[in-house]
Amino acid sequence: MPSDRPGGPSVGQVPPEADAALVDGVPVDADRPERTRQASIVDAAEAAVSGTQSQHLAQAALPGVLADVPVAVLVIDQAAGTVTYANTAARELAGNVGLPVPVDAWGAAAGLTDLGGSPLASSASPLSLVAAGRPVAGEAVRLSPRRSSDADRANARVDEPDQVLWVTGFPLSADASDQRLSLVVFLKLDDADGTIDPEAQLQALRERAVVATDIAFTITDPRQDDDPLVWVNPSFTRISGYSYEESVGRNCRFLQGPATEQKAIDDLRQALRDEQPVTTTLLNYRKDGTAFWNQVSISPVFDGAGTLVSFVGVQTDVTERVRVEDDRQAAFAAEQAARRDAEEAHAAADAARVEAERAQSRLALMAEATSTLSATLDMDDLLERLASLCVPLLADWVFVTLVDEHGAVTGTSSAHRRGMTEELRRFAALRIADLPDAAPIRRVLRSSEPVLVPEITDEILLAAAPDPALRAVMAELGTSSQLTVPLVARRRTLGALTLVAETQTRRFSPEDVDLARDLSRRAAMAMDNVRLYQQEHTVAETLQRSLLPELPDIPGVDAAAHYLAASSSADVGGDFYDLLHLPDGSVGLAVGDVVGHDVAAAAAMGHLRGLLRACAWDAGEGDPGEILGRVDRLVQGLHVAPMATMIYGRVQRPSAPGEPWHLQLANAGHPPLLLRHVDGTVEMLDGITGMLIGVDVTHRRESRAVSIPPGATLVAYTDGLIERPGEDLDQGIASLVQRLRDAPVDDDPAALCLHAVGADPDRRDDVAVLALRFGQLH
């Protein structure tokens, strides 16, 4: 992924929609089950929810996205408290339990218990929480097949060892009129030897986030000098021969060589300078010096403030495709030579000329198809382009059908030389599953081979379309001859392309089969590339948004936050903030910092934040020091993070108007909070501290009580805001206090966050700031 961008800092403003869930998974190809596809789970599910019932969603939209994911995935109907969909991996956990089924019954069939061995149905299980519409950021459960409620299943697996699963779940958005659904993902935590290796676990999570095994996925940082690579997936190493260590830190131009076309490089660099998406094909070189054709798709990634923070690249070895193109060019040259020879023999001149012109027209069509279909990364646009290529040049009307690996239709497109929009809509509404096996499209989808019907007689039409309504609409459209070819890419049948002649003046022949097949191969490759790009793009976008939580609306509390990624690392890190509206009406607040500044730190941060949320939510009126102690024990017991600093506080509402808010505060090695009073003075809430999370599981943590006058603002932050070269932390805190004092007295929390960061932040470390103004109750 060559680039010529200069580096530069950027400020990451927290977007309001940024609390998307992060789910691990793998991709969709039936013959390549290892490819990453988790990126599309959330988007595909949410897009399918609107205007449908949950059963229809499970039958139509989700199987195409989730069926072959090797982590177990469930869809839960919140209103009924039932499991309405289980993918292949989930069925392996619980057997073929008839759906829908209550969530507790499904868990019992699988043999799920808590870590102590008690059945999930006897406690507030993560399945029950998700069924109630509450998110589960991460909780460990035990899978004991021998304890399944299915006696046959339990007896058959009596010798099978227990496994530890990590459960993540979240509600899917839906209109008020629809059934509300939740998505649950089970991820295996155990190693092969039965232990839980934290480094191996983090590496697995990191790889499952955005790894596709037959495409290379890369991330560069344009804010650094020369836009270097900051991450590559294992496929990049397999394709290029360069290891992760040999690649990261270098600009991707090291793949170029003496025969790399300069114009393609210039076009690529210009697109990156313009911060625009770009797709091109380059001749690159592997580490061993062998050349390969590399199709590169690069997309810019912006933070919540619209600032460029990364370039996400998808690279595919298309050497075979280019070789086929070269063969076609050679065939064309041979045709031209034959044409010159034919001119010397007058008797064969006309035949040779016609054949040469036909070959030239075919090559022109293929060239146009390649450029037209590869120029878009939108599936609907691609289908429309394919239909327009076929009509009227190849057929009077065309119908394109896309299917998933189960044969369910996922999309259609059509075009007719006379328009016929309403008739095509009625034709598309007829279900392929209702057609008999003799129907050409059913034969093509089953065999992945073309089906040619040069002349459609009444007998053939009756056998292929027994439904009178189907025959009627086909008569309106005109059906005299038909050619159907499969859309196959990477050994998977994506659908079918049906070309139809309206009258007997046009009939398809075996020569048309080769042309249509050639076109369908190019179209299928473009479709599969669009699908892969959309998956990878969605993963990168979801990963970025999931690290920036959305603050809830809490009566009486005006809240704002600001997150600024370090300029020397990828746009992820270990700093976090959180605000909770607890069940008893109190307010929970937290700011923390996991040791490290990379994807592993970000993954650990996500687990730590989830543990804190769970502990704070279940603790009721529990003491913040005890809550931090529980979090510490879970972190060390589950090996979630190496070490982290954290502050957690619980704020209770005033007992009467004019009374102060009451804060209970606990600290685990974190810089002290600051309280800015209504007159602009700033008070440091020090005097309480404790060991870092992850150091001593027996450490007892204390809490401090603080009264917060109405109108005062509480400011929490991470150490990236106060650390400066040549200064100690006390000087950094004093500078921060002065910036808050200098701010106008009537500044709201959002403005105070900007004053806290300052006009020229150091950017050597990540920065998180949380400001809460507690109002006057009436």
Side-chain angles (χ1 to χ4, degrees):
M1 190 171 68
S3 171
D4 197 27
R5 290 190 51 85
S10 62
V11 177
Q13 182 68 37
V14 178
E17 72 277 13
D19 200 19
L22 181 64
V23 188
D24 296 304
V26 294
V28 300
D29 281 347
D31 57 344
R32 287 184 172 90
E34 70 277 16
R35 184 186 306 159
T36 302
R37 62 177 299 167
Q38 184 58 47
S40 61
I41 289 179
V42 176
D43 287 348
E46 291 186 347
V49 166
S50 180
T52 62
Q53 295 298 321
S54 62
Q55 190 66 22
H56 292 167
L57 170 67
Q59 293 176 348
L62 286 176
V65 178
L66 306 175
D68 287 338
V69 174
V71 291
V73 180
L74 302 179
V75 174
I76 294 178
D77 185 327
Q78 297 177 16
T82 59
V83 176
T84 62
Y85 172 75
N87 72 340
T88 302
R91 291 195 298 271
E92 292 177 357
L93 290 183
N96 292 321
V97 179
L99 300 181
V101 64
V103 291
D104 287 339
W106 190 92
L112 294 179
T113 71
D114 62 20
L115 294 182
S118 299
L120 290 187
S122 65
S123 62
S125 74
L127 293 183
S128 300
L129 294 177
V130 176
R134 294 165 59 183
V136 174
E139 183 170 340
V141 299
R142 188 172 298 279
L143 175 66
S144 300
R146 61 182 179 276
R147 301 185 62 177
S148 170
S149 58
D150 184 335
D152 293 337
R153 183 175 177 82
N155 294 333
R157 302 198 175 192
V158 66
D159 296 326
E160 187 170 327
D162 290 356
Q163 299 178 9
V164 178
L165 304 179
W166 187 256
V167 185
T168 304
F170 54 90
L172 302 174
S173 62
D175 295 336
S177 61
D178 294 329
Q179 290 178 288
R180 304 186 68 83
L181 308 174
S182 293
L183 196 69
V184 182
V185 177
F186 297 87
L187 180 64
K188 180 181 176 182
L189 293 183
D190 295 87
D191 291 330
D193 59 359
T195 64
I196 303 178
D197 182 353
E199 291 299 325
Q201 178 184 336
L202 289 179
Q203 180 65 20
L205 292 172
R206 175 176 172 183
E207 291 179 354
R208 291 180 188 181
V210 284
V211 172
T213 61
D214 61 343
I215 61 173
F217 190 80
T218 61
I219 301 176
T220 71
D221 188 352
R223 299 165 299 178
Q224 298 188 44
D225 185 35
D226 204 27
D227 192 17
L229 290 165
V230 295
W231 186 79
V232 299
N233 73 339
S235 295
F236 182 87
T237 296
R238 191 186 67 252
I239 292 175
S240 69
Y242 290 93
S243 67
Y244 181 96
E245 293 75 12
E246 293 171 321
S247 303
V248 170
R250 302 172 63 188
N251 185 284
C252 206
R253 72 171 66 88
F254 63 81
L255 295 177
Q256 299 173 16
T260 305
E261 183 184 5
Q262 186 60 44
K263 183 180 183 304
I265 297 174
D266 294 340
D267 293 344
L268 185 61
R269 289 176 175 172
Q270 187 60 50
L272 298 185
R273 292 191 188 101
D274 295 341
E275 300 181 1
Q276 294 295 318
V278 61
T279 298
T280 189
T281 300
L282 298 167
L283 184 64
N284 282 163
Y285 292 80
R286 299 184 176 89
K287 183 179 179 180
D288 62 5
T290 58
F292 69 104
W293 287 98
N294 190 7
Q295 180 174 293
V296 181
S297 295
I298 304 174
S299 299
V301 178
F302 302 89
D303 64 9
T307 301
L308 178 68
V309 294
S310 298
F311 280 112
V312 176
V314 178
Q315 304 184 35
T316 308
D317 184 347
V318 294
T319 303
E320 186 61 29
R321 190 185 74 188
V322 174
R323 183 177 293 116
V324 171
E325 294 294 331
D326 291 342
D327 291 343
R328 297 190 185 283
Q329 292 179 8
F332 176 74
E335 275 302 327
Q336 294 294 81
R339 181 175 169 183
R340 289 192 298 268
D341 293 340
E343 290 175 351
E344 299 175 1
H346 181 71
D350 290 342
R353 178 176 52 81
V354 170
E355 186 63 25
E357 289 177 353
R358 179 181 299 172
Q360 186 174 7
S361 298
R362 174 175 175 173
L363 289 170
L365 174 62
M366 293 304 103
E368 181 184 2
T370 299
S371 60
T372 299
L373 298 177
S374 62
T376 181
L377 290 173
D378 180 84
M379 186 64 77
D380 292 336
D381 184 32
L382 190 152
L383 291 176
E384 291 179 4
R385 290 174 182 236
L386 176 60
S388 65
L389 281 171
C390 297
V391 176
L393 185 60
L394 301 181
D396 293 321
W397 62 280
V398 63
F399 190 78
V400 184
T401 307
L402 293 185
V403 297
D404 60 20
E405 58 269 29
H406 303 288
V409 177
T410 60
T412 62
S413 181
S414 58
H416 198 289
R417 67 180 183 86
R418 295 188 287 116
M420 308 288 284
T421 304
E422 176 59 25
E423 290 79 2
L424 289 173
R425 186 196 64 78
R426 285 190 282 123
F427 182 83
L430 298 170
R431 285 166 44 90
I432 291 178
D434 295 335
L435 296 176
D437 292 338
I441 191 170
R442 289 289 301 274
R443 293 163 58 189
V444 167
L445 293 176
R446 183 175 62 251
S447 66
S448 297
E449 293 295 333
V451 172
L452 170 64
V453 186
E455 181 179 2
I456 299 180
T457 64
D458 292 341
E459 293 76 10
I460 293 176
L461 185 60
L462 181 61
D467 184 358
L470 177 58
R471 294 199 303 275
V473 71
M474 291 179 70
E476 294 179 58
L477 292 168
T479 307
S480 175
S481 181
Q482 180 174 318
L483 170 59
T484 304
V485 292
L487 294 165
V488 179
R490 298 182 175 94
R491 301 194 299 276
R492 176 188 166 193
T493 300
L494 305 179
L497 171 66
T498 301
L499 305 174
V500 185
E502 188 176 5
T503 65
Q504 293 184 354
T505 58
R506 182 182 219 164
R507 288 189 180 181
F508 296 111
S509 66
E511 293 179 355
D512 297 315
V513 174
D514 292 336
L515 179 61
R517 238 187 144 163
D518 198 353
L519 177 62
S520 71
R521 290 192 188 101
R522 296 166 190 263
M525 183 62 69
M527 291 173 185
D528 207 44
N529 287 340
V530 168
R531 179 181 59 82
L532 293 175
Y533 167 80
Q534 290 174 343
Q535 287 178 356
E536 300 300 341
H537 176 74
T538 304
V539 168
E541 183 180 6
T542 303
L543 176 62
Q544 181 185 31
R545 290 188 319 205
S546 67
L547 301 179
L548 303 172
E550 180 180 356
L551 298 179
D553 292 329
I554 301 177
V557 180
D558 187 8
H562 192 83
Y563 183 88
L564 188 63
S567 60
S568 59
S569 65
D571 196 17
V572 290
D575 291 22
F576 72 94
Y577 56 83
D578 211 346
L579 181 65
L580 302 173
H581 195 183
L582 298 175
D584 63 352
S586 61
V587 179
L589 62 100
V591 173
D593 185 359
V594 175
V595 174
H597 305 289
D598 53 17
V599 176
M605 175 269 283
H607 288 306
L608 181 59
R609 178 173 165 232
L611 291 177
L612 174 63
R613 281 190 160 204
C615 292
W617 190 270
D618 291 339
E621 299 181 359
D623 180 76
E626 295 178 357
I627 292 174
L628 282 188
R630 183 182 176 190
V631 170
D632 197 0
R633 292 191 295 273
L634 288 172
V635 165
Q636 298 189 53
L638 296 175
H639 304 284
V640 168
M643 285 191 297
T645 67
M646 186 188 304
I647 275 185
Y648 175 70
R650 177 173 170 270
V651 184
Q652 293 179 286
R653 297 180 175 277
S655 56
E659 294 293 322
W661 296 67
H662 301 286
L663 167 66
Q664 287 290 118
L665 183 65
N667 192 328
H670 202 79
L673 299 187
L674 301 177
L675 182 63
R676 188 177 190 262
H677 294 273
V678 293
D679 60 358
T681 59
V682 179
E683 175 186 357
M684 185 188 307
L685 303 184
D686 54 3
I688 182 169
T689 186
M691 287 188 179
L692 276 67
I693 299 292
V695 174
D696 183 3
V697 73
T698 65
H699 177 65
R700 181 176 179 81
R701 303 184 183 277
E702 305 293 336
S703 299
R704 173 188 173 184
V706 179
S707 294
I708 302 178
T713 302
L714 195 63
V715 179
Y717 53 92
T718 56
D719 58 8
L721 197 60
I722 57 176
E723 288 182 337
R724 296 290 185 276
E727 294 184 3
D728 59 27
L729 289 182
D730 290 338
Q731 291 175 298
I733 294 174
S735 298
L736 173 59
V737 169
Q738 190 59 50
R739 291 197 295 274
L740 293 176
R741 286 174 179 165
D742 293 341
V745 173
D746 58 350
D747 265 1
D748 60 12
L752 287 178
C753 285
L754 296 179
H755 278 287
V757 172
D760 186 25
D762 181 66
R763 301 297 301 278
R764 295 173 185 265
D765 195 0
D766 302 327
V767 171
V769 184
L770 177 66
L772 308 175
R773 176 166 293 172
F774 298 91
Q776 174 76 50
L777 297 185
H778 302 286

